[in-house]
Amino acid sequence: MGTEILAILMFPAIAVGIFLGFPVFVVLMGVSLWVGLIGWGSPIMDQMASAALWVLMNDALPAVPLFVFMGCMMERAGIAERSFHVLQVLFGPVRGSVALATLALCTLFAAATGVVGAPVTVMGLLALPVMLRRGYDIPMATGTILAGGTLGILIPPSIMLVLYGPLANVSVARLYAAAIIPGLILSGLYMGYVAVRCAINPKMGPPLPPEERAMPKLQLFYALVVDMVPFFLIILAVLGSIVFGLAAPTEAAAVGAVCGMLLAAAHRQLNLKNLKDAVYDTMMASAFVLTITVGANIFTGAFLALGGGQLITDFLFWLPVGRYGVLAVILLIIFIMGFFVDWIAILLIFIPIFAPIVPKLGFDPLWFALLVCICLQTAFLTPPFATSIFYLKGVAPPEVKLMDIYKGVIPYIALQLIGLTLCIIFPQVVLWLPTLAYGK
C-alpha cells in the first residue's frame, strides 16, 4: 500500500509546485522523478525516457503544429476583419448583432485553428472595442468572446482531440466526426442566450444602426463570395478528408497549412513578416503543447507504475452510485481540476487512468471522450487558471476590469454544462455522425 500512497501524494505535490509559480512541465517531471525514485528506484529513469520517446514517435502529434500554422496563416490573411464586417451587416437588424456576429465568426475560426488563444486574442482586438463603443454590457461582451473562443478546442481540427486519440486508443477521425454536432450545439446555445438576453434588455446589446448596415445586395454577395467562400472550402476540404477517411489527420493538416498560405497569398498577405510571425507563433504554441505532453506522459507513467491507477479504479467501483454515478464523479473531478490545472495536463494525466474504466462501465469510449472534452472546455473559463481570460485581459481596453470578465463567463460555463448534459442524455448527439461516416 506504500507505493499507492506515494502515487496519490503526487497530486498535492503538483498543486504546490504550480501555485509556487514553477512551469507546469517542470513540476510534472520533477514530481515524477523524485516520487518515482523513492517508490520505484532507478527504473523510473527508463520509464521517463520511454515516455519522452512515445511523444517523439507518435504519428498523430505532427498534426498539432500543422493545424496551428494553418490557423496562424488564416489569421494573417486578414479574413477575420473582413468576415466580421460582413457578419455584422447580416445580423445588423437583430439586437445583440455584434455579439452574434462575434460568435458566428468564432465558430468559423474554431474550424480553422484548433486552439483557443488565437480566436480570443483576435476577437478581443476586433470585436470588443466595437461592442464597448456601441454600449454593450461589458460582462456580456467579454463572456461572448471567451465562450466563442473556447469552441476552437472542441470543433475540429481541435488540438485536444489530436492529443486524446492516441492516449485512449480512439480514432482521431472518429473523434473529429463526433465533435462537430456538440460544437455546433454549444455555439447555438451561446447565440440563443445572447439573443434572449438582448431581447429582454435591449440596452445590453443594441442592433447595428441602419446607416452602418446599409450595403447593396450585390456588394454583400461579392463580399461573401470573396471573403468567406474560400474559407468555407478550405475547412470542408480539410475536415471532410479526415471525417470521410480520405486522409489521415497529419496529411490533412499539411494540406490545410498549404491552403492557409495560398489564402494569405490570394489576399496579398503572404509576405516575409507574416510568414515569420506565423512560424514563430506556431513554434511557441507547439513547443508549449508538446513539452507539457512529455511531462504529463512521464507523470502518468510513474503514477500508474506506483499503483495509483488501480487504487482509483478500485475506489470508483467501490462507490455505491451506479455506473452513471461513477461517470458523474469522473466528470466532476475533471471539472474541478480545470479551476487549477492546465487542460493539457488534465487530459494527459487523467485519460490513461480513466479510459480503461470506461469499457468496464459499459460506456462507448467515443461518447465518453467527447464528454471529457466538453467538460475540459470549461477549464478555459473557470478562474483562477483560465488561460483564455488572461489572453483577453491582455488585449482589452483599460476600462474592462478582471471582475467584469469573471462575471461574464459565469452564464457561459452554465451553458457548457447544459450542453454536456444534453450529450449525456442523448448519446446520439455525439455518435450519429461517426456512425453515419464509419458504421458501428
Side-chain angles (χ1 to χ4, degrees):
M1 188 67 181
T3 58
E4 287 89 342
I5 293 174
L6 277 174
I8 297 302
L9 289 176
M10 292 173 76
F11 288 104
I14 286 179
V16 171
I18 290 174
F19 279 114
L20 287 176
F22 292 102
V24 175
F25 78 93
V26 172
V27 174
L28 292 170
M29 293 182 185
V31 170
S32 304
L33 175 62
W34 287 110
V35 175
L37 286 173
I38 294 169
W40 195 10
S42 58
I44 185 64
M45 305 300 293
D46 294 332
Q47 188 274 333
M48 292 179 74
S50 298
L53 186 62
W54 178 88
V55 175
L56 295 174
M57 298 294 289
N58 191 289
D59 59 0
L61 294 183
V64 172
L66 290 169
F67 277 132
V68 173
F69 181 76
M70 179 181 81
C72 289
M73 288 310 303
M74 286 189 173
E75 176 191 337
R76 282 162 178 77
I79 297 172
E81 186 173 353
R82 290 189 293 271
S83 299
F84 185 56
H85 177 66
V86 172
L87 289 170
Q88 282 188 79
V89 174
L90 288 175
F91 286 104
V94 183
R95 290 171 181 169
S97 56
V98 181
L100 293 172
T102 299
L103 288 169
L105 186 56
C106 283
T107 304
L108 290 175
F109 260 80
T113 59
V115 293
V116 168
V120 169
T121 304
V122 170
M123 297 313 295
L125 292 168
L126 194 61
L128 186 56
V130 175
M131 285 192 273
L132 296 179
R133 193 165 60 247
R134 303 199 181 288
Y136 274 64
D137 178 71
I138 293 179
M140 192 184 75
T142 56
T144 297
I145 292 170
L146 290 170
T150 64
L151 293 170
I153 208 65
L154 181 65
I155 295 177
S158 162
I159 302 303
M160 182 188 290
L161 300 179
V162 174
L163 293 177
Y164 190 107
L167 284 173
N169 197 27
V170 178
S171 162
V172 174
R174 284 180 173 269
L175 286 171
Y176 275 9
I180 292 173
I181 294 177
L184 294 177
I185 286 175
L186 284 175
S187 177
L189 287 172
Y190 300 158
M191 296 181 78
Y193 165 75
V194 169
V196 170
R197 284 293 304 274
C198 293
I200 294 172
N201 184 359
K203 292 183 179 179
M204 295 191 74
L208 204 66
E211 63 274 11
E212 293 190 25
R213 62 176 187 261
M215 181 183 288
K217 292 182 179 179
L218 187 60
Q219 184 181 345
L220 180 61
F221 177 77
Y222 177 79
L224 286 170
V225 170
V226 171
D227 294 330
M228 302 190 73
V229 170
F231 190 24
F232 272 114
L233 291 177
I234 291 174
I235 292 171
L236 289 174
V238 172
L239 298 186
S241 63
I242 296 173
V243 170
F244 294 105
L246 301 176
T250 303
E251 295 167 343
V255 172
V258 173
C259 288
M261 293 179 67
L262 293 175
L263 193 60
H267 289 284
R268 299 180 182 179
Q269 298 298 320
L270 185 60
N271 51 52
L272 185 59
K273 181 182 182 304
N274 283 341
L275 190 59
K276 285 173 59 178
D277 289 345
V279 170
Y280 179 78
D281 289 348
T282 300
M283 180 182 68
M284 294 295 290
S286 303
F288 175 76
V289 170
L290 297 176
T291 305
I292 294 183
T293 300
V294 172
N297 202 37
I298 289 171
F299 176 91
T300 304
F303 179 81
L304 295 175
L306 293 171
Q310 187 59 49
L311 188 64
I312 289 179
T313 300
D314 294 341
F315 171 73
L316 290 173
F317 279 98
W318 170 80
L319 292 173
V321 292
R323 64 180 191 141
Y324 280 97
V326 172
L327 175 67
V329 171
I330 292 173
L331 294 176
L332 181 62
I333 291 171
I334 291 171
F335 176 71
I336 292 173
M337 291 299 295
F339 283 79
F340 309 107
V341 183
D342 187 84
W343 70 269
I344 304 174
I346 299 171
L347 185 75
L348 295 167
I349 291 170
F350 285 101
I351 296 312
I353 298 170
F354 291 143
I357 301 173
V358 174
K360 298 176 184 177
L361 295 171
F363 294 131
D364 188 305
L366 184 62
W367 175 70
F368 175 78
L370 261 294
L371 298 185
V372 168
C373 291
I374 295 169
C375 191
L376 264 181
Q377 192 182 357
T378 62
F380 289 94
L381 300 182
T382 49
F385 202 81
T387 52
S388 61
I389 289 178
F390 302 126
Y391 291 143
L392 183 59
K393 179 58 181 169
V395 299
E399 64 266 28
V400 176
K401 307 301 181 186
L402 198 58
M403 191 54 64
D404 293 325
I405 300 176
Y406 287 160
K407 289 178 183 177
V409 298
I410 292 173
Y412 291 99
I413 294 171
L415 290 171
Q416 287 178 340
L417 295 177
I418 290 171
L420 176 63
T421 304
L422 290 173
C423 291
I424 294 173
I425 297 173
F426 305 104
Q428 286 305 309
V429 168
V430 173
L431 300 175
W432 177 74
L433 192 54
T435 303
L436 181 67
Y438 305 104
K440 294 185 178 180

